[in-house]
Each structure stands twice: as structure tokens, then as C-alpha cells.
Amino acid sequence: MAASIVDAVTESLAPYPGARVLEVRLRVGVLSALDEESLQFCWQLSTEDSPLQGSRLTVKSLPIVMHCAVCAADRELPGVQSLSCPVCGAPATDLRQGRELDIDSIEIEEAEVPQ
Amino acid sequence: MTTRIVELRRGILKKNDELAAGLRATYAAAGVLVLNLVSSPGTGKTAFLERTLRELKARGQRVAALVGDLETDNDARRLAASGAPVRQINTHGICHLDAEMIGRHIDGWEGVTLPNLDFLFIENVGNLVCPSSYDLGEAIRVALLSVTEGEDKPLKYPTLFNSADAAVITKIDIAEPCGFDRDLALKNINAIRPGIQIFETSSKSGAGMETWLAWLEQERAARKA
């Protein structure tokens, strides 16, 4: 997973030759299989000798949002242990958020352009 | 020095997702139903798959399997006893299969072409975490849980059970000595994936296999129509 992030970010640096990455920001649903602790643990090693070396990794966690057909509304769930509407108890069969595994943005420092 | 924010807004696993979408289109064009079997090590995926392959074959279905493990071809040899074509994928340390590995092992699979198959089963690496993130282009993802593992597995690993299309409880022939609480297991699976199709099977006695096999045939027919 860390390698996929490093590859994707490195690819996105094509328009910014020589740039160094300061921060990588992820958006991760609570139902995705990404464990932030293990990712942070291997981040330094995974980014070594890449433009991401020394960068910070921040992970924004997104709760599950279901669409409840009974309430005709989107409902945020308090956890991942019971996938049902917190208001009326209808089963959560239509999930609108919670499975994301995305790179949201990166902060980069561009290389000095010789004048 | 100037710093700047670059919006990427892309999936971490975009490359895998694109490859999987290509595979899905290939499977559909070939008319083969592809299933991805996921569970922890020791649930009995291989015994369950061996019996499934053997019985589907006896019913006149054309079946094949890809099987993933970190090392060894032991599982492929066990599955080959069913008489179906089987190919081993060794991931050499990687804890899941990905779409690239699947594509690479379908290409150049001696004696097997997708249009000549009715079902292709993919036995994933035994792991309840990472395989749930990697789409293999499958039509149906099956999560397996054995009666020896504890009824709260679905609550402990909600990601995997929530991403599954069907759940199979294995080893039901030893449910009683294990003190397996069936109602609790069904309740927990339903809490994580409401309305999911659940099968209760024994690869040893054959209990529950008929319902499972009939469902597979029905799913294939429904998708072809």
C-alpha cells in the first residue's frame, strides 16, 4: 500500500521537476483496509530515496455514511460494528461513504528555477 | 523556495482498479463467472474449493482455479485432485493477490482459455485484511468463516465481510464440539453486511454443498441472461 502511494505521488510530480514532497494527505474510509499505524510505521522506509523522503503523512478518516431508504436521508454511522440506520434501524445496504482509499492532495516544495 | 498544494484526488489503488476493470470486461465477454475466495489461513478454503470444483465438474460445468500463497504449490496440487485445471500463484511475501498477478497467470495458462470455462475460482492468500482492498475483477467475492474461528470474526474484520457478496460458514460437521453459536454468527455477519447470502457447509460430509452449487449455477445463468 505504501509503495502504491509512493508510485502515485512520484508520477504526479512530472510537471514539477526536482520538487520535493513535504506532505501527503490521504482520505481513508473507516471500512477500508488501511491501518494508519502500520502505514506511519513503514512510511520513512518506504519513501527513502524517493522525492517523498522526509515527508509527513496525514490521514483523514471518513465515517460510514449510508443512505436510509426508510428515512429518505443520508445517515452517518457512529462505528463499524452495526451497519444499520442509527435513527430507524433499517439495514445499511446502500453505502455512500466509508470505503475511500484516496490520495487527496500533496504539498510540495518546487525546485529553484535558475534565473 | 515555493511550496504549493497539488490536488490529486485519486485512488491509492487506481492502477489495480483499472487492471481489474479490464479483467472484469474480459471475463464478461468470455461468459465465465469469476469468484474470489477470501478468509483467514486455516478456514478450509482449499478443502471447500476442492469439493466445489469436483462436484461442479461432475455436474458438467467447466471449472478452473487460480490459487494464491506466499510460497509452495501444495494447494495447487491438492486442488488438482479435483481433476480441474489449477494454477498456483506464489506472491513471495505479498499478503494478497492483485489484478496484475491474475492477468499474468491467466495469460499463457496451458490448456485453459476463458471462453472454454463456466467458472473460474480464485483462492486468495489467507488474510482477512488486505485482500478486501484489491479488486481482481471478480463477479462475486466470497468470505469464508469456519466454526473453529469464533462467531465475532465478522465484527473484528468488518472490512472484509462488508465487501463480500456471499459468506460461507465451513466445517459445520464439528460445530457442536466447538461450541459454535450459529445464531450469533449469523447475527454478526448480518450486522456487518445486511442481507448477505450465507451458506453453511462441510467439505468433509458434503452438508450444505448442494445449496451452494445450485446457487452458483443460478448466479451464472442469471448473469448470462
Side-chain angles (χ1 to χ4, degrees):
Chain A
M1 197 70 83
S4 302
I5 300 172
V6 172
D7 287 350
V9 170
T10 305
E11 225 171 74
S12 73
L13 292 176
Y16 313 100
R20 201 165 71 82
V21 178
L22 304 176
E23 184 172 334
V24 176
R25 298 166 187 165
L26 308 183
R27 289 170 82 248
V28 175
V30 291
L31 264 184
S32 79
L34 188 134
D35 176 49
E36 183 179 354
E37 217 174 298
S38 24
L39 191 61
Q40 294 286 9
F41 181 75
C42 68
W43 188 246
Q44 199 189 334
L45 195 67
S46 309
T47 55
E48 233 166 55
D49 301 322
S50 82
L52 287 78
Q53 186 166 341
S55 64
R56 276 185 312 277
L57 177 71
T58 54
V59 179
K60 185 180 178 198
S61 175
L62 305 174
I64 302 174
V65 174
M66 66 173 281
H67 180 74
C68 178
V70 179
C71 301
D74 287 354
R75 304 281 189 205
E76 190 177 308
L77 305 192
V80 293
Q81 294 293 290
S82 178
L83 276 86
S84 54
C85 175
V87 177
C88 76
T93 47
D94 183 3
L95 300 189
R96 301 288 167 93
Q97 183 182 283
R99 288 186 175 134
E100 293 73 12
L101 203 50
D102 297 333
I103 305 169
D104 187 34
S105 61
I106 55 176
E107 188 181 345
I108 62 171
E109 186 177 72
E110 290 185 79
E112 294 284 359
V113 185
Q115 297 298 313
Chain B
M1 287 283 173
T2 42
T3 62
R4 109 176 27 228
I5 307 282
V6 183
E7 305 279 336
L8 296 190
R9 297 194 188 282
R10 57 162 278 179
I12 293 173
L13 300 178
K14 186 175 156 211
K15 269 199 184 133
N16 186 75
D17 292 344
E18 286 168 356
L19 287 172
L23 287 174
R24 186 166 281 115
T26 307
Y27 303 151
V32 54
L33 186 69
V34 179
L35 294 98
N36 177 8
L37 271 52
V38 286
S39 80
S40 29
T43 297
K45 279 188 300 299
T46 309
F48 176 72
L49 182 52
E50 199 270 327
R51 185 147 192 156
T52 299
L53 292 172
R54 185 154 39 89
E55 296 200 6
L56 279 176
K57 207 165 172 275
R59 292 157 86 112
Q61 302 288 357
R62 298 166 302 169
V63 295
L66 290 169
V67 53
D69 279 298
L70 271 66
E71 301 294 342
T72 82
D73 63 350
N74 294 353
D75 279 6
R77 283 189 278 132
R78 278 175 67 191
L79 291 172
S82 66
V86 178
R87 193 166 196 198
Q88 181 78 47
I89 303 176
N90 281 137
T91 62
H92 304 297
I94 297 173
C95 61
H96 55 265
L97 294 175
D98 64 31
E100 186 275 330
M101 298 177 201
I102 300 299
R104 187 155 43 85
H105 284 81
I106 287 175
D107 290 341
W109 188 353
E110 213 175 306
V112 175
T113 51
L114 294 181
N116 292 325
L117 288 179
D118 299 314
F119 295 92
L120 172 64
F121 293 86
I122 303 170
E123 181 184 334
N124 219 310
V125 178
N127 176 350
L128 278 176
V129 185
C130 308
S132 54
S133 301
Y134 291 84
D135 186 1
L136 306 180
E138 74 268 23
I140 298 174
R141 184 176 293 181
V142 185
L144 291 87
L145 167 75
S146 69
V147 300
T148 59
E149 286 171 68
E151 301 82 359
D152 59 349
K153 265 274 162 82
L155 303 180
K156 287 179 177 166
Y157 300 92
T159 300
L160 186 115
F161 283 88
N162 184 266
S163 72
D165 304 295
V168 174
I169 301 177
T170 58
K171 309 186 189 178
I172 59 161
D173 53 304
I174 54 166
E176 214 185 309
C178 290
F180 180 68
D181 185 338
R182 173 179 179 268
D183 291 344
L184 183 59
L186 296 180
K187 183 176 158 247
N188 288 343
I189 296 171
N190 262 300
I192 298 303
R193 180 67 151 161
I196 189 173
Q197 186 87 31
I198 303 174
F199 300 92
E200 299 170 66
T201 64
S202 164
S203 310
K204 202 172 170 192
S205 74
M209 290 303 291
E210 174 55 37
T211 316
W212 158 248
L213 299 171
W215 181 76
L216 287 177
E217 289 172 336
Q218 188 191 317
E219 284 295 310
R220 180 164 185 276
R223 280 156 208 264
K224 270 204 107 176

